[in-house]
Amino acid sequence: MASLLALRQVLGPGSSEITSSQFHTSSIVLAQLRRKSKKPSGKPSSPPRTRLAKSLEPTGKAKRLGKLEIAPSRPEFKRDPVPHEGIAPQQRESPPRRKTTSESRSIPKRRAPTDDADAETQVKNWAIKAHSERVDRRKALASSTAHSTSSSQDLPTRFSSPPLMPGLLQSLQETLGKEARPTAIQASSMKHLFKEHVEGEKYKEFLLASETGSGKSIAYLLPVLQDLKCTEHEQSNAVAHHSSRKPLNPRALVLAPTHELTRQLASFAKSLSHVIKLRVMCASKANTPSTAKSSGTASKMKGKFGEVGAASDAEFVISKSSRGSRPVDLLLGTPNKLLEMERGRGWNWEERARERAMRIGKAKSEDHEDVKEEDGGNTEPPREFWVDEPEMGLQNVQWVVVDEADVLFDPDFQESTRMLLADIAAAREATTTQSISYPFNFLLTSATIPTSLATYLSNYHPSLTRLASPRLHHLPPTLRTEHTSWTGGNKSADIERRIRRVWAEDALVHSKTATGPGPIKLSKLLVFCNKRSKVEQLAAFLDGRGIKCVALTGGAEARKRGSNHHLDGFLKTGGPVPTGPGVCDPAQTPHVLVTTSLLSRGLDFSPMIKHVFIVDEPRNMIDFLHRAGRAGRAGEAGKVVVFGRAKGRGSGRTEEVKQRVKAVAG
């Protein structure tokens, strides 16, 4: 009874109607409490950072200052209708049947010559009419399109000079081929980003949003490289004017989330600039000079080390003069690496150590204090961290490109990204307000625009121009999707079985198309997991089954080598395809790459990778689009295979994933 009175006090007035005889069904009261605290069903449960933006239309202040331009989609092929469509056939009256005799049967019946001439003339008339109707229809369609064409549909249809300078066009054709045509986002870039900057005019602010595999790297590298070449002489005077004590003074920066992506972008930028001769440097690899800076004999080196041995501190000090200035036009790297180069190595080690110490529990810290008091209060001196001198100046930066902007403005990266952008603005003697207007050309690019990024751009970059492709937030049209179910046993065995099925299909195609003896070219596969432990477990299982594979996670030892050689055979390169014994044997050469979302961002994989396996349920559709988009790139055919449960526990979630995948595949 006391508990009933206490509950009445909690529920307030009006609860006296609940009697002890009615209180035995406590679910009624709990249901009322749940109904009051239940969140509205219309509000999505996923956070804005994992939710795709429904529209790129500017909001708030950006609605007045910003602009959205969506490139027109290519017209679908439609067969011309038959010329006699809608015309009823003419009914000829047949003459009355005559009685035939034995004599009439013996005489062969001859057609009048005029009948053949009439039929031939009628066929010609039909052909002429069909041709004239087809021509008139196409003229009408062209004229209506010309009248309804807006400024966003006036896009270039081929790479040409102008707007590209001849040397840049030559490098582009050597890389892509002379018959290459610009994609929608590349055409939009050629229209808007090749305008020369006028003194006193506002710097460019653009967002390039397009589906995976549509060539966004070319879309921003071409205008950046061309502007760097056009302003090369002006910037050389500026470099001499500014303080050039720091070894590196780049004129353009490209930020990317992973070291693998920065290395591939740097290699691609070098191939585009080898004719116009620009200096491209990657901060995520060992950029050592090819020649020695000094030629010392063995005796001189012995003398130097002898002096060191005689000294009391016994340290060999490399003089700072050996760190000479290296002129750089374009520098690529991750935000943390570039901050380290700009502020000096170790600039944040003390802060990181402090954060690490704060993670220690209070109970443990109190125990340590008690021990120190008993010892007489003796405390160790605080650890001092060594900070190297900065090696990069930011005064000459004219372009900043943020590749994979949805990641770099994610809570995990946004602090270092915005800190670096603020340092560049401060180095160029500019201050940022609530509506940020950077004193340099600012480009962002991504294949997915989450709601959080769209809101950030509308609030802080209201004058940003958004260039989008018509298939944004969709899979490439050449990429097919397939859903396969687990058998209920060992999942790793199911994955192995599906891999061997892909290779069996390759062998069947080879047997039908091969013109001579030769090894079967087996497809390479990319397998995505959600956890590092699953990557290591699956890789060990496949290795034990005779399928050599590469397992790569964030802490893998192979990532510390300063190059992308650990991904040889999987990434797209401009060199020749390797040949030799064992290259086509999956037991000797890795044909399967198992990884997490680490390699799902921006990397351009080889056309040999035609299948992507998603063995764990994607956390959100942003992750799915980037993982699946590693295949079916640049018009190549591909397939993404999604594993799930067909029945039993978890099958409902699998069905929900199917519906979401179907929505982005259309």
Side-chain angles (χ1 to χ4, degrees):
M1 192 65 181
S3 59
L4 179 59
L5 293 175
L7 181 62
R8 285 177 179 174
Q9 292 178 359
V10 173
L11 296 178
S15 61
S16 56
E17 298 177 1
I18 303 178
T19 61
S20 57
S21 61
Q22 297 170 325
F23 190 66
H24 67 280
T25 55
S26 59
S27 59
I28 300 176
V29 180
L30 295 177
Q32 292 176 354
L33 296 176
R34 277 195 222 103
R35 202 175 294 118
K36 292 181 180 179
S37 61
K38 188 177 180 181
K39 295 182 179 180
S41 58
K43 185 178 179 180
S45 57
S46 57
R49 55 180 289 199
T50 62
R51 217 167 48 235
L52 289 171
K54 295 182 179 180
S55 174
L56 291 187
E57 287 287 348
T59 58
K61 186 179 179 181
K63 188 179 295 185
R64 178 172 53 88
L65 301 176
K67 188 170 67 169
L68 170 65
E69 242 183 59
I70 301 177
S73 58
R74 293 183 178 180
E76 297 180 359
F77 174 76
K78 292 184 179 180
R79 190 177 298 278
D80 291 329
V82 292
H84 54 271
E85 184 178 8
I87 302 176
Q90 297 179 357
Q91 299 290 340
R92 294 185 179 182
E93 296 181 359
S94 57
R97 301 182 65 181
R98 293 180 299 175
K99 294 182 179 181
T100 58
T101 60
S102 58
E103 296 180 359
S104 62
R105 289 174 184 172
S106 61
I107 302 174
K109 186 177 181 180
R110 296 180 180 178
R111 291 185 65 184
T114 56
D115 294 344
D116 295 336
D118 292 343
E120 186 176 354
T121 304
Q122 190 174 9
V123 170
K124 289 183 178 180
N125 290 340
W126 279 114
I128 294 172
K129 183 178 180 181
H131 178 71
S132 61
E133 287 182 355
R134 192 181 302 114
V135 171
D136 294 341
R137 193 181 304 109
R138 289 174 179 171
K139 286 182 179 179
L141 181 62
S143 61
S144 64
T145 305
H147 288 301
S148 62
T149 297
S150 62
S151 60
S152 65
Q153 294 180 337
D154 247 350
L155 300 177
T157 57
R158 59 172 53 229
F159 296 110
S160 60
S161 177
L164 295 175
M165 59 175 52
L168 195 58
L169 178 61
Q170 178 185 344
S171 301
L172 183 64
Q173 291 178 344
E174 291 175 359
T175 305
L176 300 182
K178 294 186 177 181
E179 301 300 324
R181 295 290 181 268
T183 61
I185 196 64
Q186 292 168 357
S188 299
S189 170
M190 292 174 64
K191 176 186 174 184
H192 293 278
L193 295 180
F194 280 84
K195 299 176 182 178
E196 295 184 4
H197 177 70
V198 182
E199 189 68 27
E201 186 182 348
K202 191 177 181 182
Y203 286 97
K204 298 182 179 71
E205 280 187 319
F206 282 89
L207 168 68
L208 306 180
S210 181
E211 67 275 9
T212 58
S214 58
K216 293 184 291 297
S217 303
I218 295 178
Y220 67 75
L221 281 176
L222 290 180
V224 171
L225 294 176
Q226 177 152 321
D227 185 74
L228 291 177
K229 188 62 180 178
C230 292
T231 60
E232 190 172 22
H233 299 292
E234 301 175 8
Q235 287 297 317
S236 62
N237 298 330
V239 170
H241 175 71
H242 289 298
S243 175
S244 56
R245 296 178 180 177
K246 297 178 182 178
L248 301 177
N249 292 278
R251 298 194 288 137
L253 298 177
V254 176
L255 314 183
T258 62
H259 296 295
E260 286 81 5
L261 180 55
T262 58
R263 293 168 193 149
Q264 189 178 49
L265 289 175
S267 176
F268 187 55
K270 289 178 181 178
S271 65
L272 289 178
S273 61
H274 80 278
V275 174
I276 59 177
K277 304 302 180 186
L278 289 175
R279 294 152 296 194
V280 179
M281 178 179 176
C282 178
S284 297
K285 65 190 302 183
N287 293 277
T288 55
S290 56
T291 58
K293 293 182 179 179
S294 60
S295 57
T297 61
S299 59
K300 291 181 180 179
M301 293 184 65
K302 182 180 178 182
K304 289 183 179 180
F305 280 101
E307 295 173 2
V308 171
S312 59
D313 52 359
E315 289 185 358
F316 179 64
V317 181
I318 300 177
S319 62
K320 296 180 181 179
S321 60
S322 62
R323 298 172 55 186
S325 176
R326 301 185 62 189
V328 175
D329 293 310
L330 177 62
L331 180 63
L332 303 94
T334 62
N336 286 327
K337 179 63 177 178
L338 295 181
L339 272 175
E340 183 179 275
M341 297 173 65
E342 182 252 333
R343 296 189 174 188
R345 188 176 179 221
W347 68 274
N348 61 340
W349 288 359
E350 184 176 353
E351 180 182 355
R352 287 162 55 184
R354 192 183 303 114
E355 292 177 355
R356 193 180 302 113
M358 290 177 63
R359 286 196 292 265
I360 301 175
K362 292 183 179 180
K364 187 175 181 180
S365 63
E366 291 176 358
D367 293 341
H368 282 296
E369 289 177 2
D370 295 340
V371 172
K372 291 177 183 178
E373 289 177 0
E374 292 175 1
D375 294 340
N378 295 326
T379 59
E380 297 181 359
R383 182 180 176 184
E384 295 182 359
F385 291 91
W386 166 77
V387 180
D388 196 3
E389 291 185 5
E391 56 180 329
M392 181 176 65
L394 303 174
Q395 296 90 344
N396 302 322
V397 175
Q398 291 282 342
W399 289 83
V400 175
V401 181
V402 181
D403 202 348
E404 302 297 332
D406 59 330
V407 176
L408 294 186
F409 282 98
D410 188 81
D412 296 334
F413 284 89
Q414 69 173 350
E415 182 180 358
S416 55
T417 303
R418 298 180 68 175
M419 191 181 299
L420 179 61
L421 294 174
D423 287 355
I424 301 173
R428 294 179 61 82
E429 299 177 355
T431 57
T432 58
T433 58
Q434 183 177 1
S435 297
I436 302 174
S437 180
Y438 290 121
F440 47 81
N441 298 302
F442 186 50
L443 303 182
L444 302 99
T445 176
S446 180
T448 51
I449 310 298
T451 306
S452 57
L453 179 60
T455 305
Y456 170 81
L457 295 178
S458 294
N459 293 338
Y460 294 98
H461 297 275
S463 58
L464 183 83
T465 301
R466 298 157 174 82
L467 303 180
S469 69
R471 288 192 59 84
L472 178 65
H473 295 168
H474 286 79
L475 293 177
T478 56
L479 186 62
R480 295 179 298 151
T481 57
E482 176 186 328
H483 296 271
T484 185
S485 58
W486 304 111
T487 59
N490 189 350
K491 292 185 177 181
S492 299
D494 292 343
I495 297 171
E496 180 208 353
R497 195 176 301 111
R498 189 64 183 83
I499 290 174
R500 297 193 183 278
R501 176 182 162 188
V502 171
W503 290 341
E505 294 171 355
D506 293 339
L508 181 62
V509 172
H510 177 80
S511 63
K512 293 182 178 180
T513 59
T515 57
I520 302 174
K521 294 183 179 179
L522 301 180
S523 301
K524 296 190 176 183
L525 300 98
L526 193 56
V527 182
F528 282 106
C529 306
N530 285 351
K531 297 181 179 180
R532 297 182 183 182
S533 57
K534 182 65 176 290
V535 170
E536 297 169 357
Q537 175 189 354
L538 179 59
F541 177 86
L542 294 177
D543 281 333
R545 301 288 293 176
I547 300 177
K548 194 172 183 180
C549 59
V550 175
L552 197 68
T553 58
E557 190 67 24
R559 299 191 69 217
K560 302 177 182 179
R561 298 174 184 171
S563 67
N564 282 348
H565 286 305
H566 55 286
L567 296 176
D568 284 346
F570 293 97
L571 290 183
K572 188 175 182 179
T573 59
V577 179
T579 57
V583 172
C584 298
D585 186 5
Q588 301 182 33
T589 305
H591 278 59
V592 179
L593 175 60
V594 188
T595 183
T596 58
S597 292
L598 172 72
L599 301 183
S600 67
R601 290 287 181 161
L603 286 172
D604 194 10
F605 283 91
S606 168
M608 289 294 294
I609 295 184
K610 300 184 182 297
H611 290 76
V612 172
F613 286 5
I614 300 179
V615 300
D616 289 332
E617 178 185 303
R619 296 185 178 95
N620 48 68
M621 294 315 296
I622 293 179
D623 280 351
F624 173 79
L625 285 172
H626 284 281
R627 292 182 179 186
R630 297 313 100 197
R633 302 177 65 83
E636 296 283 345
K639 179 185 288 187
V640 52
V641 181
V642 185
F643 289 79
R645 292 184 179 273
K647 57 182 179 180
R649 184 177 181 181
S651 59
R653 179 62 179 165
T654 301
E655 189 63 30
E656 182 182 349
V657 171
K658 284 184 181 180
Q659 298 301 322
R660 292 186 178 183
V661 170
K662 185 178 180 181
V664 299

